[in-house]
Amino acid sequence: MKVAQFGAGRIGKIHAGNVARHKRSTLAAIVDPHGPSASTLADEYGAEVRTAEDVFEDVDIDAVIIASSTDQHADQIEAASAAGKAIFCEKPIDLDITRVRGVVNHLEAHPVPFMLAFNRRFDPNFQAMKAQIEAGAIGDVEMVTILSRDPGLPPIEYIKVSGGIFRDMMI
């Protein structure tokens, strides 16, 4: 599977490494408005720096990872689905629920495999807690509080176009 990735920042570096290590996939392209970041990540994994238009027009690209800034997710999802690409997108789809509903409608009109990233649903501890709650093992649950922290501050350019750590983590 040939994969193009949008975003060469912190989470993009993680996803690029995962794709590159998968024996049935190839990281073919990196798309990022910050040229040096795109080039560094592409060079590390033998990918090309490409434009979004190139990726969407390339019939050899099977899937896209959207790890770009939050304000780009919705447009990139719609363009990728219209181009027939499978999509893995970091949360959130958008910060505005009306825009999210529009993207869902677009995906219904242009069906492709789509997954919205939220790693906590695969965490064994969260799954065990959910199973205990559903089994009634811990009584009537009124509230669950889960803490999560980023390892450091993102760049100010990212903060300006994302929901910030509170909205991005609470989405």
Side-chain angles (χ1 to χ4, degrees):
M1 175 184 330
K2 283 188 158 186
V3 179
Q5 180 171 295
F6 290 77
R10 183 173 46 129
I11 196 68
K13 291 174 186 172
I14 293 169
H15 290 311
N18 290 337
V19 171
R21 285 187 294 278
H22 194 283
K23 57 186 159 194
R24 293 188 324 223
S25 64
T26 301
L27 184 61
I30 298 291
V31 179
D32 194 288
H34 187 255
S37 296
S39 294
T40 299
L41 192 58
D43 290 348
E44 184 173 351
Y45 295 108
E48 295 179 7
V49 175
R50 309 264 303 267
T51 67
E53 295 75 22
D54 288 342
V55 166
F56 297 135
E57 291 173 3
D58 188 339
V59 296
D60 291 329
I61 299 290
D62 303 299
V64 297
I65 294 174
I66 299 174
S68 54
S69 59
T70 302
D71 64 325
Q72 299 297 307
H73 292 184
D75 290 340
Q76 290 169 348
I77 292 167
E78 290 177 344
S81 65
K85 312 295 184 196
I87 304 164
F88 175 85
C89 182
E90 274 297 327
K91 65 172 177 38
I93 291 174
D94 196 83
L95 297 176
D96 178 82
I97 192 64
T98 302
R99 183 70 174 107
V100 172
R101 288 184 181 119
V103 170
V104 170
N105 291 337
H106 183 88
L107 286 167
E108 289 173 352
H110 302 86
V112 295
F114 175 83
M115 181 177 178
L116 184 64
F118 187 62
N119 64 327
R120 300 298 186 233
R121 67 180 143 187
F122 301 109
D123 184 295
N125 294 314
F126 286 106
Q127 289 178 341
M129 178 183 64
K130 182 176 187 274
Q132 288 181 6
I133 291 170
E134 288 175 346
I138 58 176
D140 294 329
V141 176
E142 293 182 24
M143 181 171 65
V144 175
T145 302
I146 300 172
L147 299 176
S148 181
R149 293 177 175 82
D150 272 3
L153 293 173
I156 192 68
E157 294 79 20
Y158 178 80
I159 293 172
K160 290 178 182 177
V161 295
S162 74
I165 189 166
F166 296 109
R167 280 187 85 183
D168 280 355
M169 295 296 286
M170 294 172 61
I171 199 77

